[in-house]
Amino acid sequence: MGHLSRQLLAEVGGENAKAVQIGGASGRCVPRTEFQRQLAFEDIPTGGSIIVIGPQRDMLAVAHNFLEFFADESCGQCTPCRMGNPKLLEGVELLKEGKCSTEYLRGAQEPLPTMQVASKCGLGQTSSVAFLSILEHFSDEVLGRTPSA
């Protein structure tokens, strides 16, 4: 705690990383342009897990991996999580195929505020954090793919 993201990356030989996933699968994805941010409760709390994402990694594949995990791990007890995670996963799969419209993606994000406040546990409350941060920082990479042949 207290170190800058770039200092941590230098310690582990990850200076060329594309991004750092701070806080595990439900954490925030920090792009290279923000590696000056501090690992601290006042800036980016780690939650004990940091994932270094290499420069060649497809960020949509990263989002897909996380959302697949959350959709599978949801116990299904509360509706926001049970319905929201598969909807997000479906949106990411459509993005990967180049078939996701802006309207669909916007619609898939509509339940997120409800998930964050109404899910019964931390899984549903935080499962969208990584996807939203990837969408925010890597939209040029994840949006606008052409349909697969």
Side-chain angles (χ1 to χ4, degrees):
M1 295 296 279
H3 287 86
L4 302 180
S5 300
R6 64 177 149 72
Q7 292 172 313
L8 174 71
L9 289 167
E11 287 290 321
V12 298
E15 297 93 330
N16 291 329
K18 178 188 275 188
V20 179
Q21 184 74 14
I22 299 179
S26 62
R28 194 177 317 171
C29 188
V30 179
R32 183 181 308 196
T33 57
E34 296 184 13
F35 284 173
Q36 78 285 358
R37 297 195 57 191
Q38 187 177 37
L39 303 174
F41 291 111
E42 302 81 16
D43 192 6
I44 305 176
T46 68
S49 174
I50 298 171
I51 302 168
V52 179
I53 301 170
Q56 303 304 317
R57 190 80 162 109
D58 179 355
M59 295 307 291
L60 193 54
V62 171
H64 184 265
N65 185 40
F66 290 148
L67 287 171
E68 195 171 50
F69 168 79
F70 288 121
D72 187 56
E73 287 298 310
S74 174
C75 72
Q77 186 177 27
C78 61
T79 303
C81 185
R82 181 179 66 244
M83 303 289 284
N85 283 313
K87 184 77 168 172
L88 279 178
L89 179 59
E90 181 181 6
V92 168
E93 289 171 348
L94 289 172
L95 279 170
K96 286 174 77 172
E97 296 170 10
K99 298 177 183 176
C100 186
S101 68
T102 307
E103 294 80 29
Y104 182 91
L105 188 59
R106 209 173 297 126
Q109 293 179 59
E110 281 179 11
L112 299 185
T114 302
M115 285 176 66
Q116 292 169 346
V117 298
S119 292
K120 291 184 176 188
C121 76
L123 186 134
Q125 294 166 4
T126 61
S127 60
S128 63
V129 172
F131 172 70
L132 290 174
S133 64
I134 288 170
L135 195 58
E136 175 186 352
H137 297 296
F138 298 96
S139 61
D140 57 331
E141 182 179 334
V142 301
L143 300 176
R145 296 191 181 200
T146 55
S148 306

